[in-house]
Amino acid sequence: MTNLRTPLCDELGARLPVFGFSHSLDAAIAISRHGGIGIWGATRSTPEEIEIALTRMHDELGDLPYGIDLVIPPGMPDSDNRAEIEAAIPDDHRTFVDGLRARFDIPDDGQPGMRSRFVRSEESARAQVEVVMDSHLPILALGIGSPEWVIGPAKERGMKMISLVGQPRHAERALRAGADIIVAQGYDAGAHTGTVGTFSLVPRIVDVCGDTPVVAAGGVATGRHIAAAMAMGAQAVWMGTAWLFCEEEHTHPAIAAKLRAAESADTVISRADSGKTLRQVRSGWSDAWADDAAPAPLKMPYQDILVGDVLGQIERHEIEPLMHSPAGQSVAYFDEMTTVADVLDRLETETAATLDRFRA
Ligand SMILES: Cc1cc2nc3c(=O)[nH]c(=O)nc-3n(C[C@H](O)[C@H](O)[C@H](O)COP(=O)(O)O)c2cc1C
């Protein structure tokens, strides 16, 4: 089969030009094992959990390429002080969330969800980064924000630094901060996303980046997408939605059913989960917040704390109409559950066939 390795693959030691982002450690490990570059989403994990995950990745993957992803947005509060955030939440917002709780019969079990288990703050980011700096992590990705206080020390320790960007000026900022690899993530992407579509974005980021490798994200689901990404100048793709359909991800069956049935237009962008624009599969949750009667979501981290507990309780108590997940427009290409190995095998075959067709 045609070799798909790009110079970036050679640099990182990967067989396939595919980065796979997942919040499931099992999925991230499987992606690296099967030729891709697994990136574990650690942003909502505690330093202790990150330490355990890093040890597991190191032990199980050895010299294979892998990484973790942190999100360190600018403008977060200094400390992890929930009481201070709670005090600033307007009554109208609380009343609205209480109304949803009553309407959908969501039990209050007093437990937080992943968005409210700690307050996103400078303090929590520094504690996460400290653990990373003490590890042998080969690749560190930053999903939002490219702070120099992270990039500089990580590079000194030999880590490859990746920044996800949604606009050329973000790429320029990340390059100035020292990023080694830029992920150009378009509007199509699942989760936090910007306003520029992948096709409009990638060639512009390639032009801005010069010799720095660019990776295309947002809407990649087939080998045709990978070949197109390469034609636009990217050296790899970065995928998130695809893995939600893999058994290693452990997607809840009710959410999996919604994802399988979804077309691209069934994903919506809402600020109701985190305060930032987050593409997700449409559900009773996004509909309720899109209603004229709903208040405008608060900014991060206030929205995290306003809704974090209730989102956790929706999942734990399986309140089906409100259950949802971030997902991108590529959701339309997947309609059955599969495995990481199958997805990567299919992508390899399809990409090689597409490139061979061009050569012929
Ligand atoms: C369920 C899910 C959760 C995500 N969480 C994060 C995150 O915590 N940090 C991050 O940098 N990107 C996150 N993303 C975005 C991915 O890194 C990636 O850019 C995106 O999924 C690519 O587009 P695609 O969804 O069309 O494959 C998430 C994506 C999904 C689908």
Side-chain angles (χ1 to χ4, degrees), residues 67-85:
I68 74 163
D69 174 282
L70 293 173
V71 174
I72 309 182
M76 293 300 110
D78 288 340
S79 67
D80 181 352
N81 185 342
R82 180 161 176 157
E84 219 168 82
I85 304 286

Side-chain angles (χ1 to χ4, degrees), residues 53-122:
L54 286 171
T55 304
R56 196 178 143 202
M57 288 179 114
H58 182 255
D59 290 351
E60 294 190 27
L61 293 171
D63 289 337
L64 290 173
Y66 66 89
I68 74 163
D69 174 282
L70 293 173
V71 174
I72 309 182
M76 293 300 110
D78 288 340
S79 67
D80 181 352
N81 185 342
R82 180 161 176 157
E84 219 168 82
I85 304 286
E86 295 267 14
I89 292 177
D91 289 344
D92 282 357
H93 286 75
R94 286 202 186 285
T95 307
F96 180 75
V97 172
D98 289 346
L100 285 181
R101 202 183 263 297
R103 190 167 126 212
F104 289 95
D105 213 3
I106 309 165
D108 186 355
D109 59 17
Q111 297 299 312
M114 61 106 166
R115 293 187 189 281
S116 55
R117 53 204 301 247
F118 55 84
V119 176
R120 199 186 269 297
S121 62
E122 281 284 319

Side-chain angles (χ1 to χ4, degrees), residues 21 23 43 69 71 143 164 185 189-191 218-219 238-241 244 326 330:
F21 173 96
H23 284 288
T43 180
D69 174 282
V71 174
L164 274 74
Q185 189 205 250
W238 173 286
M239 300 168 67
T241 297
L244 300 173
S330 60

